[in-house]
């Protein structure tokens, strides 16, 4: 089987941790946030690897110099015994060099797996972006209010009169009978306004019939009804456009749910490999509020990860890299999938921007849409502050170099 040597470019996983570019944490980093805790542990991994790599480089440099010197001495020697002794020293130096290279390879795998584990456990809150979805509640509440004609001035009062007409004339007009049935099914006048879908045609026919029935004597009510018909028509189109975007949103939410299941599987698998009970993980990290204790848990976790790599190499010197390779690829796959989903979310937010741009100057619903725009801008700002799809994708694709 081909041997894989994983070398993370630059600062390995440390600067690209979960797509959030950052400067490696210094020892005096204040542990005030999850990101600071994660970056400090990753900084510890980096510091340890740098020290080991420096020592290995010095060892290799000395051995290379020694081999070069022995080559010159062997070439210049005329004594067979002396040449044989120097050849033996040369072989021993090359063996030590190979051993140093293998040690460096072990250190790299240990650092990679430690970083992968820290990234993995830190990904939990990002896959469940509560900050984003909490911010979205205000937007979606306003969005639904904007799409609901019952929230517009005068509509409820007018609708009561229109509904009285429906109940009075439903036995004489099929469209009114359909609307009446719809009201009875919902049991709620405010939700009985079908402004999108197949029932909308019956609604417009019903409103038109109501306006016609008013005649010229009820001029004020007739004019009000015409305004409500226009408002309902505008909101019908608005709802249609909104529903197209929300279909995409539903797909993303389902994918996030699938990703969460996949994430839980990989997390549980790695915790089992490290012999960390799920209860310890939840208690010492997930529910722990003391930043220092969370940092200590991650520190212990990375030590367990390093020990696991060593144990696997000791147990199977020939194939020890293969299972670690799969674990690293699992984490990379999660980052790529989540990166793709953040791109999708960004695309959906852009669609909402287009929706608002289309209706923000409309004379009937424009003011409400402009109020919705404020909420969407806040949601966009929250998303941009928490996620960068390009960073997620770019860092994931550059996590490992394979030689």
């Amino acid at each position: 089987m081909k041997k894989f040597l994983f070398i993370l470019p630059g600062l390995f996983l440390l600067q690209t941790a979960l797509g959030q570019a950052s400067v490696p944490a210094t020892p005096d980093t204040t542990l005030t946030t999850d990101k600071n805790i994660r970056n400090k542990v990753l900084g510890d991994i980096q510091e340890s690897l740098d020290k080991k790599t420096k020592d290995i480089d010095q060892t290799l440099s000395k051995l290379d110099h020694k081999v070069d010197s022995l080559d010159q001495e062997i070439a210049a020697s005329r004594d067979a015994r002396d040449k044989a002794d120097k050849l033996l020293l040369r072989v021993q130096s090359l063996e030590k060099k190979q051993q140093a290279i293998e040690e460096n390879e072990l250190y790299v795998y240990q650092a990679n797996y430690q970083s992968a584990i820290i990234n993995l456990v830190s990904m939990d809150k990002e896959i469940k972006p509560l900050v984003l979805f909490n911010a979205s509640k205000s937007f979606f509440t306003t969005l639904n209010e904007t799409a609901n004609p019952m929230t517009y001035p005068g509509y409820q009062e007018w609708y009561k009169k229109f509904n009285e007409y429906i109940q009075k004339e439903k036995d004489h007009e099929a469209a009114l009978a359909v609307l009446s049935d719809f009201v009875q099914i919902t049991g709620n006048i405010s939700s009985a306004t079908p402004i999108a879908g197949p029932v909308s045609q019956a609604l417009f026919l019903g409103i038109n019939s109501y306006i016609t029935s008013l005649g010229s004597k009820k001029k004020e009510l007739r004019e009000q009804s015409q305004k409500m018909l226009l408002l309902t028509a505008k909101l019908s189109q608005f709802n249609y456009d909104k529903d197209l975007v929300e279909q995409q949103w539903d797909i993303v939410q389902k994918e996030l749910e699938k990703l969460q299941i996949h994430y839980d599987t990989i997390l549980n698998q790695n915790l089992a490999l490290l012999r960390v009970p799920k209860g310890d993980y939840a208690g010492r990290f997930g529910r722990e509020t003391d930043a220092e204790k969370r940092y200590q848990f991650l520190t212990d976790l990375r030590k367990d990860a390093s020990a696991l790599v060593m144990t696997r190499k000791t147990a199977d010197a020939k194939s020890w890299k293969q299972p670690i390779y799969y674990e690293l690829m699992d984490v990379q796959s999660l980052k790529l999938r989540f990166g793709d989903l953040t791109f999708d979310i960004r695309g959906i937010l852009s669609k909402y921007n287009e929706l608002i741009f289309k209706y923000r100057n409309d004379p009937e619903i424009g003011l409400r849409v402009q109020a919705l725009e404020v909420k969407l801008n806040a949601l966009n700002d929250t998303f941009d502050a928490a996620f960068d799809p390009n960073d997620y994708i770019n860092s994931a694709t550059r996590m490992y170099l394979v030689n």
Side-chain angles (χ1 to χ4, degrees), residues 123-179:
M123 197 184 297
D124 193 12
K125 291 186 179 181
E126 301 206 11
I127 290 181
K128 293 184 285 191
L130 299 181
V131 173
L132 176 64
F133 287 127
N134 285 337
S136 71
K137 288 180 181 179
S138 177
F139 167 72
F140 284 113
T141 297
T142 305
L143 177 64
N144 291 331
E145 291 174 352
T146 302
N148 184 2
M150 290 296 179
T151 64
Y152 286 77
Y155 200 95
Q156 288 196 43
E157 181 182 355
W158 169 85
Y159 187 81
K160 290 179 181 179
K161 298 175 183 177
F162 173 51
N163 188 50
E164 291 174 359
Y165 172 76
I166 293 174
Q167 302 309 318
K168 180 180 178 181
E169 301 294 333
K170 63 182 180 180
D171 294 335
H172 303 98
E173 292 189 37
L176 297 180
V178 171
L179 288 177

Side-chain angles (χ1 to χ4, degrees), residues 69-80:
S69 297
L70 287 171
D71 285 342
Q72 293 177 8
E73 293 175 12
I74 291 170
S77 177
R78 294 293 181 267
D79 185 283

Side-chain angles (χ1 to χ4, degrees), residues 7 15 29 72 102 129 137 230 244 256 371:
I7 303 176
Q15 281 189 307
T29 297
Q72 293 177 8
E102 290 177 359
K137 288 180 181 179
L230 180 58
L244 291 178
L256 276 173

Side-chain angles (χ1 to χ4, degrees), residues 121 124 264 267-272 274-288 293-294 297 301:
V121 299
D124 193 12
D264 289 339
L267 176 64
N268 291 335
Q269 174 181 308
N270 279 275
L271 290 178
L274 298 174
R275 297 183 179 180
V276 177
K278 190 67 183 292
D280 284 358
Y281 166 73
R284 296 182 60 197
F285 185 73
R287 295 191 299 267
E288 180 59 62
K293 291 181 179 179
R294 288 165 65 83
F297 173 76
L301 199 62

Side-chain angles (χ1 to χ4, degrees), residues 296-314:
Q296 186 58 52
F297 173 76
L298 291 184
T299 298
D300 293 342
L301 199 62
R302 80 175 183 88
K303 291 178 180 178
D304 291 339
S306 179
L308 176 63
V309 175
M310 174 63 81
T311 299
R312 284 182 167 175
K313 182 179 181 182
T314 302

Side-chain angles (χ1 to χ4, degrees), residues 129-393:
L130 299 181
V131 173
L132 176 64
F133 287 127
N134 285 337
S136 71
K137 288 180 181 179
S138 177
F139 167 72
F140 284 113
T141 297
T142 305
L143 177 64
N144 291 331
E145 291 174 352
T146 302
N148 184 2
M150 290 296 179
T151 64
Y152 286 77
Y155 200 95
Q156 288 196 43
E157 181 182 355
W158 169 85
Y159 187 81
K160 290 179 181 179
K161 298 175 183 177
F162 173 51
N163 188 50
E164 291 174 359
Y165 172 76
I166 293 174
Q167 302 309 318
K168 180 180 178 181
E169 301 294 333
K170 63 182 180 180
D171 294 335
H172 303 98
E173 292 189 37
L176 297 180
V178 171
L179 288 177
S180 177
D181 290 343
F182 188 79
V183 172
Q184 292 179 5
I185 291 173
T186 60
N188 188 327
I189 287 181
S190 64
S191 63
T193 311
I195 57 176
V199 187
S200 61
Q201 183 177 1
L203 173 64
F204 293 130
L205 289 173
I207 297 177
N208 185 66
S209 175
Y210 178 53
I211 293 173
T212 302
S213 72
L214 295 174
S216 59
K217 294 183 179 180
K218 300 181 179 180
K219 181 179 179 181
E220 184 176 343
L221 181 56
R222 182 185 179 91
E223 290 177 352
Q224 182 189 27
S225 299
Q226 289 174 339
K227 291 180 180 179
M228 296 305 154
L229 174 60
L230 180 58
L231 174 62
T232 305
K234 291 289 182 66
L235 289 177
S236 176
Q237 184 60 44
F238 180 83
N239 270 272
Y240 175 79
D241 293 338
K242 176 179 72 72
D243 289 347
L244 291 178
V245 181
E246 290 185 341
Q247 289 174 10
Q248 300 177 43
W249 187 255
D250 289 341
I251 292 173
V252 169
Q253 286 184 309
K254 290 177 181 177
E255 287 301 313
L256 276 173
E257 292 172 1
K258 292 179 182 178
L259 183 62
Q260 180 66 56
I261 294 173
H262 184 49
Y263 170 81
D264 289 339
T265 300
I266 293 175
L267 176 64
N268 291 335
Q269 174 181 308
N270 279 275
L271 290 178
L273 289 172
L274 298 174
R275 297 183 179 180
V276 177
K278 190 67 183 292
D280 284 358
Y281 166 73
R284 296 182 60 197
F285 185 73
R287 295 191 299 267
E288 180 59 62
T289 57
D290 188 308
E292 288 292 344
K293 291 181 179 179
R294 288 165 65 83
Y295 165 74
Q296 186 58 52
F297 173 76
L298 291 184
T299 298
D300 293 342
L301 199 62
R302 80 175 183 88
K303 291 178 180 178
D304 291 339
S306 179
L308 176 63
V309 175
M310 174 63 81
T311 299
R312 284 182 167 175
K313 182 179 181 182
T314 302
D316 187 354
K318 182 178 180 181
S319 304
W320 65 277
K321 301 174 205 173
Q322 182 177 0
I324 300 172
Y325 166 78
Y326 291 133
E327 305 302 337
L328 296 176
M329 291 300 101
D330 281 341
V331 176
Q332 184 183 55
S333 174
L334 283 170
K335 288 188 66 175
L336 284 171
R337 285 184 62 187
F338 188 63
D340 288 339
L341 286 176
T342 57
F343 264 119
D344 291 339
I345 294 173
R346 165 51 61 207
I348 291 171
L349 294 179
S350 297
K351 291 293 183 181
Y352 280 123
N353 277 320
E354 295 173 7
L355 178 70
I356 288 174
F357 181 79
K358 180 177 180 179
Y359 291 97
R360 70 184 314 277
N361 295 320
D362 186 273
E364 278 69 44
I365 66 174
L367 291 178
R368 298 289 291 274
V369 172
Q370 289 173 30
L372 177 63
E373 184 176 18
V374 175
K375 301 293 181 67
L376 180 60
N377 288 338
L379 179 56
N380 277 319
D381 291 342
T382 300
F383 181 84
D384 291 340
F387 308 101
D388 187 334
N390 285 307
D391 275 351
Y392 275 97
I393 298 298

